[in-house]
Amino acid sequence: LKRSVEQGQRLIPILIEEAEMPPMLATRRWIDFRGLRHQRYGAAVRELAAALRGKRPKRPPRGGGLKSP
């Protein structure tokens, strides 16, 4: 984590099964691949590709709560 910050690298946690997210990663943008099929899997891949290119995700609608893994 320290090296990614110091060197300007992207660190994007990817969830592929149920696991406890370490606190240092929980505050990062993460992509959830748990139990995805077909269209939802493709959407997660596109989200990951956008994150790797440095594009920010759309903001959630107002009043929507944060959902952690």
Side-chain angles (χ1 to χ4, degrees):
L1 182 62
K2 180 181 175 183
R3 183 175 51 176
S4 70
V5 171
E6 288 174 352
Q7 296 178 3
Q9 298 173 338
R10 289 182 181 82
L11 176 63
I12 305 165
I14 298 174
L15 296 172
I16 55 173
E17 59 185 37
E18 293 296 324
E20 186 175 333
M21 183 78 73
M24 68 178 195
L25 295 178
T27 59
R28 313 276 308 169
R29 176 180 175 195
W30 42 269
I31 311 293
D32 191 352
F33 277 85
R34 295 175 293 177
L36 298 184
R37 305 258 187 248
H38 306 295
Q39 289 179 340
R40 291 181 59 200
Y41 180 84
V45 169
R46 288 187 296 276
E47 183 180 354
L48 176 58
L52 290 170
R53 288 192 293 270
K55 294 185 179 180
R56 297 203 176 266
K58 293 181 182 177
R59 291 182 156 230
R62 287 186 173 253
L66 294 176
K67 296 179 184 177
S68 62

